[in-house]
């Protein structure tokens, strides 16, 4: 069955140092793990066709579909603060772009599809564990309503990849608004290629920030736009307890989507200093540092765009600083608005931030589960405070906070009717708990058992709905299953 994907490859059409043409390297015995039917529908791709032998061949990189123009994209990046002028897609190949049913342009990329000119010493491959992790967590983020790249499919390759041990290989088909990163701009800026920089900026404006085109200074408007979206994005992470883990500038998409799920994880017990990534020894990318790091990355973006902002360098710097100065406000506004919704507050009063901070401090002091504390506030409103109190080592600490919260609620103009339900629509019950993710990966990698992966995907597709039979998936790990470290596995 011929695979029909209506490609229209605007990035491949750019002429310049943006990318390198390359074909995926075939694999020996591909096997389908999953096809994301809902996403295939959005993309106007026939999901059934992807499950055929021809579809599998495409998802494995064994055949290139008509209309694809495979490329590896070039980018640079600050990794843990250190700049590398050339990174690029070392294990990913962009097949092309489609315009989806809603009119949005989306990249379709194979991750783990063999070496490219950017592979350096890497093998261009991905192991099954990290592929499943990205599949699970990116789709969970999407279900939570957080901007993210998506997973269209995953396949095993039948080949082994050598990491610390030999592991089963796999390929993720990733869908993104684009794969253009802060590091993509840094790559061109570091080469001093102002013409290419302008081409890229114009491409990003047309593709992601069309309103900026009409601004008096479109490049300033572009920076403003990225700052606003990234501030909103990191606020959303903070509001669900998500820790990205590797917020390098090459892992920061200018579209405002979450990208490059490596050692990412959701917190169980609330502790703002939480770090999961085994390679993040200094805690640079700890939960509480994420807004500051986002700002830092945006400074790198603005620096890269200085040559476009104004002919006069001092004016450019002033423009960049003015744009960057807006970040803290954007972030705090988004975070506080999100927290108000989580607490059931529809109006804004001056002491709300203190109310939020008091709860968070109390949660930290009492090892309260981040997700369940917020979720069970709804039950407390419905008359059963026990599930919320039970999250706290000292339940009376919760009682004291809840007293202040109830007083604050009396200042809301509307009645309580509907409040608990509205809160359940913003406070998820189900997040991808690390111990569940690890168990799903372990079953797949060691026993070729994908049932736990499928069960997890099922429950995470409806994170806000009570799924009484699946309640166990909402629970934090028992003491012996707690996950303290996560790994990139690249
Ligand atoms: P990451 O931080 O994992 O997104 O990757 C950083 C850089 O390393 C990117 O340029 C990747 O393309 C590259 N890379 C990671 N793993 C591999 C691999 N197995 N083979 C080749 N390049 C890789
Ligand atoms: Mg990356």
């Amino acid at each position: 069955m011929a695979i029909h994907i209506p490609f229209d490859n605007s990035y491949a059409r750019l002429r310049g140092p943006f990318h390198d043409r390359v074909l995926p390297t075939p694999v020996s015995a591909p096997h389908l793990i999953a096809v994301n039917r809902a996403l295939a529908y959005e993309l106007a791709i026939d999901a059934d066709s992807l499950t055929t032998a021809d579809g599998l061949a495409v998802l494995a990189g064994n055949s290139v579909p008509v209309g694809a123009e495979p490329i590896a994209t070039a980018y640079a990046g600050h990794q843990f603060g250190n700049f590398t002028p050339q990174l690029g897609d070392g294990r990913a190949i962009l097949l092309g772009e489609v315009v989806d049913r809603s009119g949005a342009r989306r990249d379709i990329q194979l991750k783990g599809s063999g070496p490219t000119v950017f592979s350096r010493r890497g093998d261009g491959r991905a192991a099954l564990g990290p592929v499943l992790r990205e599949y699970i967590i990116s789709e969970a983020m999407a279900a939570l309503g957080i901007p993210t790249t998506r997973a269209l499919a995953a396949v095993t390759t039948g080949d082994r990849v050598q990491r610390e041990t030999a592991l089963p290989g796999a390929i993720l088909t990733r869908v993104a608004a684009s794969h253009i990163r802060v590091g993509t701009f840094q790559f061109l800026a570091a080469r001093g290629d102002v013409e290419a920089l302008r081409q890229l900026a114009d491409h990003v404006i047309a593709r992601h920030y069309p309103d900026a085109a009409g601004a008096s200074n479109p490049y300033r408007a572009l920076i403003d736009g990225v700052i606003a979206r990234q501030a909103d994005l990191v606020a959303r992470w903070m509001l669900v307890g998500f820790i990205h883990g590797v917020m390098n500038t090459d892992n920061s998409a200018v579209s405002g989507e979450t990208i490059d799920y490596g050692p990412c994880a959701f917190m169980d017990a609330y502790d703002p200093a939480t770090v999961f990534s085994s390679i993040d020894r200094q805690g640079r990318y700890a939960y509480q540092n994420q807004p500051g790091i986002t700002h830092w990355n945006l400074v790198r973006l603005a620096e890269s765009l200085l040559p476009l902002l104004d002919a006069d360098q001092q004016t450019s710097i002033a423009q960049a600083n003015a744009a960057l100065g807006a970040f803290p406000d954007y972030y705090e506004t988004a975070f506080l608005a999100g927290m108000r919704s989580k607490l059931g507050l529809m109006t804004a009063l001056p002491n709300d931030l203190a109310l939020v901070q008091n709860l968070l401090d109390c949660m930290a002091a009492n090892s309260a589960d981040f997700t369940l504390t917020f979720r069970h506030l709804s039950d407390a409103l419905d008359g059963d405070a026990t599930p919320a109190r039970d999250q706290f080592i000292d339940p009376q600490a919760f009682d004291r906070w809840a007293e202040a919260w109830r007083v604050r609620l009396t200042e809301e103009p509307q009645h309580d009717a509907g409040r608990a339900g509205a809160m359940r629509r913003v406070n998820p019950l189900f997040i991808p708990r690390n111990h569940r993710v690890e168990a799903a990966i372990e079953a797949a990698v060691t026993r070729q058992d994908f049932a736990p992966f499928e069960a997890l995907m099922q429950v995470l597709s409806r994170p806000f709905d009570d799924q009484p039979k699946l309640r166990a998936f909402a629970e934090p790990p028992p003491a012996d299953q707690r996950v303290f470290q996560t790994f990139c596995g690249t």
Side-chain angles (χ1 to χ4, degrees):
M1 185 176 189
I3 302 307
H4 179 70
I5 302 177
F7 283 109
D8 175 42
N9 310 319
S10 67
Y11 203 70
R13 285 196 290 271
L14 292 181
R15 290 283 163 258
F18 307 99
H19 46 67
D20 189 65
R21 303 214 176 246
V22 58
L23 292 175
T25 304
V27 302
S28 62
H31 220 86
L32 192 63
I33 302 169
V35 164
N36 185 338
R37 292 185 160 267
L39 181 58
Y41 178 83
E42 278 180 38
L43 300 176
I45 298 172
D46 175 11
D48 287 328
S49 76
L50 293 179
T51 66
T52 65
D54 288 343
L56 180 59
V58 166
L59 299 174
N62 285 3
S63 102
V64 173
V66 174
E69 296 171 82
I71 53 176
T73 72
Y75 52 84
H78 275 92
Q79 300 175 301
F80 291 92
N82 303 308
F83 186 64
T84 300
Q86 183 177 300
L87 292 166
D89 290 328
R91 56 168 160 167
I93 293 177
L94 180 60
L95 291 180
E97 303 155 25
V98 298
V99 176
D100 73 13
R101 287 183 197 267
S102 76
R105 182 173 289 277
R106 316 274 289 266
D107 275 4
I108 302 178
Q109 186 203 61
L110 301 181
K111 188 170 176 183
S113 51
T116 74
V117 68
F118 303 113
S119 296
R120 289 165 292 161
R121 281 180 298 277
D123 58 4
R125 293 298 182 188
L128 176 57
V131 164
L132 289 180
R133 175 178 275 283
E134 176 155 356
Y135 197 113
I136 294 165
I137 301 193
S138 66
E139 285 304 303
M141 292 286 270
L144 289 166
I146 298 174
T148 177
T149 64
R150 304 291 304 273
L152 178 62
V155 301
T156 49
T157 60
D159 301 318
R160 296 250 145 196
V161 296
Q162 190 60 39
R163 296 295 178 259
E164 264 131 60
T165 57
L167 297 168
I171 298 174
L172 180 77
T173 304
R174 179 160 76 176
V175 172
S178 82
H179 284 84
I180 301 166
R181 304 142 193 272
V182 169
T184 314
F185 284 94
Q186 290 182 289
F187 172 75
L188 301 170
R191 292 161 62 109
D193 191 340
V194 178
E195 255 339 286
L197 201 58
R198 190 183 307 279
Q199 261 181 283
L200 180 67
D202 290 342
H203 177 88
V204 171
I205 288 171
R207 190 162 171 180
H208 299 303
Y209 298 92
D211 292 348
S216 59
N217 184 338
Y219 304 116
R220 164 68 196 271
L222 168 61
I223 298 175
D224 291 338
V226 180
I227 288 173
R229 277 196 212 165
Q230 292 236 342
D232 185 68
L233 179 67
V234 71
R236 288 164 180 263
W237 292 356
M238 301 302 279
L239 291 164
V240 296
F242 173 76
I243 302 167
H244 182 284
V246 207
M247 293 176 65
N248 295 335
T249 55
D250 52 302
N251 294 336
S252 166
V254 295
S255 66
E257 287 182 340
T258 313
I259 193 170
D260 277 5
Y261 292 85
C264 58
F266 283 70
M267 279 195 288
D268 295 304
Y270 176 68
D271 173 0
T274 305
V275 178
F276 285 105
S277 170
S278 61
I279 55 171
D280 190 1
R281 298 215 171 77
Q282 317 282 322
R284 177 181 171 91
Y285 300 138
Y287 171 80
Q288 66 193 353
N289 292 350
Q290 296 186 121
I293 289 291
T294 300
H295 192 196
W296 192 92
N297 289 346
L298 289 163
V299 178
R300 307 285 84 78
L301 175 71
E303 273 171 7
S304 302
L305 285 166
L306 284 178
L308 303 185
L309 282 176
D310 199 274
D312 172 61
Q313 200 189 11
Q314 288 315 311
T315 310
S316 289
I317 292 171
Q319 287 273 349
N321 280 331
L324 290 162
F327 178 86
D329 225 39
Y330 279 135
Y331 170 71
E332 279 152 30
T333 303
F335 179 76
L336 185 54
M339 274 293 174
R340 282 196 177 101
S341 305
K342 288 173 83 72
L343 298 185
L345 307 177
M346 312 299 164
T347 59
L349 287 179
N351 287 334
D352 291 347
L353 185 58
L355 184 71
V356 168
Q357 196 55 53
N358 289 344
L359 174 60
L360 292 174
D361 291 346
C362 183
M363 287 164 64
N366 284 277
S367 301
D369 185 83
F370 184 86
T371 304
L372 292 184
T373 298
F374 284 104
R375 178 70 179 192
H376 291 318
L377 292 178
S378 291
D379 303 309
L381 279 190
D382 286 342
D384 182 7
T386 305
R389 297 181 85 239
D390 281 353
Q391 305 305 316
F392 292 74
I393 293 171
D394 171 15
Q396 292 180 350
F398 173 76
D399 295 340
R400 285 189 291 275
W401 177 82
E403 184 53 38
W405 175 49
R406 285 177 193 282
V407 170
R408 170 64 182 83
L409 285 174
T410 63
E411 299 179 68
E412 285 289 290
Q414 314 98 310
H415 278 292
D416 273 353
R419 191 183 314 283
M423 289 166 63
R424 286 190 185 97
R425 287 191 290 278
V426 294
N427 291 314
L429 177 57
F430 298 103
I431 53 158
R433 300 262 176 193
N434 295 315
H435 64 300
R436 294 280 176 184
V437 175
E438 297 287 344
I441 291 172
E442 153 96 8
V445 171
T446 63
R447 304 193 297 279
Q448 294 80 51
D449 175 9
F450 290 90
F453 162 74
E454 278 152 23
L456 194 53
M457 293 310 299
Q458 193 62 38
V459 73
L460 294 174
S461 69
R462 293 164 49 209
F464 300 106
D465 293 355
D466 248 312
Q467 302 177 56
K469 291 206 187 85
L470 300 169
R471 234 7 201 319
F473 284 90
E475 293 303 320
D480 63 329
Q481 287 178 34
R482 286 186 63 185
V483 175
F484 296 100
Q485 269 203 338
T486 51
F487 301 88
C488 296
T490 53

